[in-house]
Structures are given as structure tokens and as C-alpha cells.
Amino acid sequence: MEAMTFPRYTTDEIIGHLRSHVLEGAEARNLVKGDLFDNPRLDVLHLIYLRILQKVCGIRLEHAFMMPLNVDIMYPQIYEGFLPICNLYIHLERLLPLCLVNDFQIADVLNPKTKRTIHLLSGILNFVNFRECHRAGYLELQLSYKSAMEKSQQLEAVNREAALKLEKLNTVPVEHEAEIKQLTESIRELEQLLRQDYRRKQTALQEVTSQKKTDIAERTQKLNECKVSMATLKEEQEQLKSKIVESPEERKTYNEMMKETIKKLKRSKQEVTEKYEGYRDVVEVLPSCQVELQLYQKKMEIQGENVERLASVSSEARSLEDQLESAQVELKKAKTDEMSLKRAVTVKHEKLATAEIQLKKMREDIEQHKCTVLEHFNKVQEKRGAVYDKVIAIRKEIKQKKDKIEQLKDDAEEKAAKAKEIHLTLKAVLDKCHESLLKAVKTSAASRAEKVEEIRAELFSLQSSGSSS
């Protein structure tokens, strides 16, 4: 009770919620606080529990008054009065752990108390509120799940159809097998020719490129040598200009000779540059040729893959032909099995018709038995009502007698208290009397001793007077 995980409602909140959400019509209007809490009425409390079970668990009203079918009892009439309470207790025992109420007992149904009923009803109403809040979301999720399942089934059907179409497309018809074989042979021949041409061109290009590279290297070496020789000649010319003083005619002739040599060198240089540009153009053309060769290689690979696919398709076609033959044999067997199954189905249909007739008879007998059970139940309810009235009257008498007993106990306690007070007063009086008696005894004893002494003195005086006479 102390470790609750749900709020504890007040009595007004519980009754308002029961009137608005659980009960309907006259039941809601006639519900009063005293029916549940002050002097709880068992029939009203049991009816509220039944309505909650009908709303939350979907239990029918007949289930509360029916004997369980999985139980064999010799005399079920004995349990007719206790059956509704027992069924109610069983269903509540299943429901209340969901409401986080784990201490439910049968005494809460037979002899309810106000605190326990408030605890149970607050837990149940908290669970009902939680259920109503989350029910819409759960239903939406259920609908979305159903729609998703339908979509998945549709997609699976479409996928199956697409797979069948793919199988049809992949299968090669018998009419085109000869053409496919011819195409494969021609493709192989073309591949061989292309490979041979590619190899020839590749080797020729490699040889040409190697020759061009060697020529370019030689020409570059010659150019470098010419450049070096030109530089040396210029240096010699400058040195000779500074050292030698020639005649103008010889100088002119020498200059003309030098000009002719320079022209020759320029021509050779131009020839070398032209050859170099031609070689350079050839070298630039080489990557495009390599790209074309790569394209030819890719085409050859694609054609090889096509040939492999054709081979696989032809093998699959052969396997499919074998499967078709086996399937035809199985079809013949299936037709024979179908005929035998049709005969068995007709026999089973006849048996089903007889079984349906028997079921109709059984249902009629069950309905008759149900009507008799309901009549008997109504009689038991009437008897139960009479017994319930007697029990209520007996309880009222018991309460009256308990009240009288409590009054007598109170009177007896008052009388006992008065007797105690009288006893105490008497005891105090007796104590005072005892004290006064003790004092009187003491005073009488003292006076008596004095008188005895006086008498003794008198006797002694009388004796002394007698002896003297």
C-alpha cells in the first residue's frame, strides 16, 4: 500500500468517473457514495467490477454465470450461487496485476472495506484512463501496420511478376538458337581478327616510336654540338678581331665566307626543327592511338562477356528443356493425383454435409440447454435475492446486537469505575478508622496501665494498713 505507483483518488472523483465513463443510464443516476464506501452494497460493487471487465477485457455478461468448460464437477448445482463471485474473482485477479495492484484477495469481493475499495478502484480507474489515452495511438499504429503489410504483399506480388518476366526474357526460344550460334561464331572470328590487327598495329607503333625517339636523340645531340661549335667560333672570331688587322678585301671575303657558313647552319637548324616538329606531332598522336587501342580492348572484353552470357543462356535453355520434360511427367502424375483427390473431396463434402446437419442439431440442443440454464439462472437469482435480503436483515440484527453489547460494555465500564471509586473511598475511610482504633487502643492501654498501677498502689496501701493494725 505504501509503495503505490498510481494516484489515490478521492471518493467524489471515483464516483464521478464511474458515472461518466463506466456506468450508463439508471445505473449511473442511482449510484450513491454510501453504496461503495460507508456501508458498501455487494451487488453494486460487483456490478461496477463487471462493467469494468466488460469495458476493458471484453467479457460478456454470460461468462460471469457460466461454469468453466475445462472443469468436470459432479454436481454443478451446488456452485450456482457462488459461481458469479468466483468468476468475478478470477477475472479481477487477471486484470489487477496490470493495474499494479498485486495484493488482491477474495475478501475484497466478499467482505469489502472502504480503504481497500478506494485502493482497488483508484488503481483500476488509473489503468482505464491510461488505456483510453493511448488507445487512439495504438489503433493508428495497428492501421499503419495493416496498410504496410498490404503494401508489402502487393510489392511481393509485383516482385514475383517481375521475376517471372525476367525468367521469360532470359530464356532463349528454340527458333533463335541457330541464329545465336551463328552470331557467336562470327563474334569469335571478329574477336580473333581484331586481336591480330591490334597486336600488329601495336608492334608497328612501338617500333616507329622507338625509331623516332632515337632520331630525336641524335638530332638533339647534333644541335647541341652545333650550338657548342657556334659558341667556340664566336669566341675565336672576337679573339681574332682583337689580334689581327687585315686588309678590307680579305675581311670582306672572310665575312662573306662566314655569312655563307651561318646560312648553311641556319638551314640545317630549320631542317632539324622541322623534323623535330614532325616527330613531336607523331608523339602527340600516340596517346590518341593508345586510347583507341584501349577502346578496342574494352569492346573485345564486352564481346567476350557476351559470348559467355550466350553460353550460359544456352546451358540454361538446355536445363530448362530438361525441367520441362520432367514437369510434363509430373503434370501427368498430378492429373492422376487430382482425379483421386477430387474423388476424396466429394466424399469429404458428403461427410461435411452430414457433420453440418449434426452440428445444427447440436446447436439447437445447446440453445435449448442455454434457455433452460438461463431460466434456472433467473430462478437462482430470485433465490439469491431472497437470501440476500435475509442476510441483510441478519446483518442489521447483528449490528443492533453489537450496538447493544457495546452499550452494555460501556455501562459495565461506568459501573466498574464507580465501584472502584466507592472501593477507594471505603478503603480510605477504613484506613482512617484503623488509625483511630489504633490510637484508641493505645490510649486505652495507657489508661488501663495507669489504673492498674493505681489499683496496685491502693492494694499495697491497704495491705500495709492491715499489717500495721
Side-chain angles (χ1 to χ4, degrees):
M1 292 287 288
E2 291 177 359
M4 287 194 299
T5 57
F6 52 86
R8 186 165 179 172
Y9 296 109
T10 61
T11 55
D12 295 327
E13 288 175 352
I14 290 166
I15 287 164
H17 192 84
L18 290 171
R19 284 175 180 170
S20 59
H21 295 286
V22 177
L23 300 174
E24 294 178 355
E27 293 176 354
R29 288 194 298 272
N30 296 326
L31 185 65
V32 187
K33 192 189 290 185
D35 295 337
L36 295 176
F37 303 116
D38 296 332
N39 292 315
R41 290 174 59 188
L42 289 174
D43 55 350
V44 176
L45 190 63
H46 293 172
L47 189 138
I48 288 163
Y49 286 147
L50 264 176
R51 293 287 181 263
I52 290 164
L53 289 169
Q54 285 177 354
K55 186 176 181 181
V56 176
C57 302
I59 294 164
R60 295 180 183 175
L61 189 63
E62 303 91 42
H63 295 166
F65 304 99
M66 287 172 67
M67 184 70 72
L69 297 172
N70 57 358
V71 178
D72 294 328
I73 296 171
M74 291 293 291
Y75 301 103
Q77 293 86 5
I78 298 167
Y79 298 93
E80 285 177 354
F82 187 68
L83 254 180
I85 297 166
C86 186
N87 287 325
L88 184 68
Y89 172 70
I90 290 164
H91 292 303
L92 285 172
E93 194 177 16
R94 291 173 186 170
L95 173 65
L96 285 168
L98 298 173
C99 305
L100 299 174
V101 178
N102 298 314
D103 56 351
F104 179 67
Q105 297 174 356
I106 197 165
D108 298 326
V109 179
L110 294 172
N111 188 14
K113 295 179 181 179
T114 55
K115 290 182 180 179
R116 291 289 299 168
T117 50
I118 289 165
H119 176 63
L120 295 173
L121 288 171
S122 58
I124 291 165
L125 294 176
N126 185 24
F127 178 72
V128 169
N129 289 326
F130 174 78
R131 177 177 172 273
E132 288 178 355
C133 289
H134 293 276
R135 190 179 179 186
Y138 175 73
L139 292 171
E140 288 178 359
L141 285 170
Q142 197 172 11
L143 289 170
S144 64
Y145 176 73
K146 286 180 180 178
S147 63
M149 287 293 290
E150 290 175 356
K151 286 181 182 178
S152 67
Q153 289 174 359
Q154 290 175 0
L155 291 169
E156 284 177 358
V158 171
N159 195 3
R160 287 171 188 169
E161 291 176 357
L164 291 170
K165 288 179 181 178
L166 280 170
E167 287 179 357
K168 288 179 181 178
L169 291 169
N170 289 323
T171 54
V172 179
V174 181
E175 297 173 355
H176 300 289
E177 283 183 355
E179 293 179 0
I180 289 163
K181 287 179 181 178
Q182 290 177 359
L183 287 168
T184 52
E185 289 175 358
S186 63
I187 287 162
R188 285 175 185 171
E189 290 175 356
L190 287 168
E191 282 179 354
Q192 290 176 0
L193 292 169
L194 286 168
R195 284 175 184 171
Q196 289 174 2
D197 293 331
Y198 174 71
R199 285 173 185 172
R200 287 173 186 172
K201 288 180 181 179
Q202 192 174 10
T203 53
L205 285 167
Q206 285 176 358
E207 289 174 356
V208 169
T209 51
S210 62
Q211 288 177 0
K212 298 288 184 183
K213 284 179 181 178
T214 53
D215 292 334
I216 288 161
E218 289 174 357
R219 295 297 172 85
T220 51
Q221 284 178 1
K222 287 179 181 179
L223 277 169
N224 292 321
E225 289 174 357
C226 290
K227 285 178 182 178
V228 171
S229 63
M230 285 285 289
T232 53
L233 287 167
K234 283 180 180 179
E235 287 177 357
E236 287 175 359
Q237 188 179 2
E238 288 176 356
Q239 288 175 4
L240 289 167
K241 280 179 182 180
S242 62
K243 288 180 181 179
I244 299 166
V245 178
E246 294 176 352
S247 63
E249 292 178 359
E250 289 178 358
R251 193 173 182 183
K252 284 179 182 179
T253 54
Y254 183 75
N255 286 326
E256 287 175 358
M257 289 290 290
M258 289 299 290
K259 285 178 181 179
E260 286 176 0
T261 54
I262 287 161
K263 286 178 181 179
K264 287 177 182 180
L265 288 168
K266 283 181 179 179
R267 286 172 188 173
S268 64
K269 188 178 180 182
Q270 285 178 357
E271 288 175 359
V272 169
T273 53
E274 287 174 358
K275 288 179 181 180
Y276 176 75
E277 287 175 356
Y279 291 142
R280 190 176 63 189
D281 295 331
V282 171
V283 170
E284 287 177 355
V285 170
L286 273 172
S288 63
C289 294
Q290 287 178 354
V291 171
E292 288 178 358
L293 287 168
Q294 288 175 0
L295 290 171
Y296 282 122
Q297 282 180 352
K298 287 180 181 178
K299 287 180 180 178
M300 293 288 287
E301 290 174 356
I302 291 163
Q303 285 176 356
E305 289 176 357
N306 290 324
V307 169
E308 290 175 357
R309 285 178 185 174
L310 283 169
S312 64
V313 165
S314 61
S315 63
E316 286 177 0
R318 288 171 186 172
S319 64
L320 286 168
E321 286 177 357
D322 297 331
Q323 288 177 4
L324 276 169
E325 290 176 358
S326 62
Q328 286 176 356
V329 174
E330 288 177 356
L331 266 172
K332 289 178 182 178
K333 289 181 182 178
K335 284 179 180 178
T336 55
D337 294 332
E338 189 179 358
M339 294 296 289
S340 62
L341 285 169
K342 282 180 180 178
R343 291 172 187 171
V345 166
T346 52
V347 173
K348 287 182 179 179
H349 277 301
E350 291 175 356
K351 288 181 180 179
L352 271 171
T354 55
E356 283 178 355
I357 293 162
Q358 290 177 358
L359 274 170
K360 285 180 181 178
K361 289 180 181 178
M362 290 286 286
R363 284 173 183 170
E364 290 175 356
D365 295 332
I366 288 162
E367 286 179 356
Q368 289 178 358
H369 183 67
K370 197 174 181 181
C371 293
T372 54
V373 167
L374 286 170
E375 289 176 357
H376 189 67
F377 172 70
N378 292 323
K379 289 178 182 178
V380 169
Q381 284 289 106
E382 291 175 357
K383 289 179 183 178
R384 185 174 172 277
V387 171
Y388 182 71
D389 294 332
K390 288 179 182 179
V391 168
I392 288 167
I394 290 163
R395 282 183 179 175
K396 286 180 181 178
E397 289 177 359
I398 288 164
K399 283 182 180 179
Q400 289 175 1
K401 287 179 181 180
K402 283 181 179 178
D403 294 333
K404 288 179 181 178
I405 288 162
E406 286 178 356
Q407 287 179 359
L408 289 169
K409 283 181 179 178
D410 294 332
D411 295 334
E413 286 176 356
E414 288 177 357
K415 288 178 181 179
K418 288 179 181 179
K420 282 181 181 179
E421 289 177 356
I422 293 163
H423 177 71
L424 291 169
T425 53
L426 288 170
K427 193 175 180 182
V429 170
L430 282 170
D431 291 332
K432 288 179 181 179
C433 290
H434 282 300
E435 288 176 357
S436 61
L437 282 169
L438 286 169
K439 288 178 181 179
V441 167
K442 287 179 181 178
T443 52
S444 64
S447 61
R448 188 177 175 187
E450 288 177 355
K451 286 179 181 180
V452 168
E453 287 177 357
E454 287 177 356
I455 290 164
R456 281 180 182 176
E458 287 176 357
L459 286 171
F460 185 72
S461 64
L462 287 172
Q463 285 178 2
S464 62
S465 64
S467 62
S468 62
S469 60

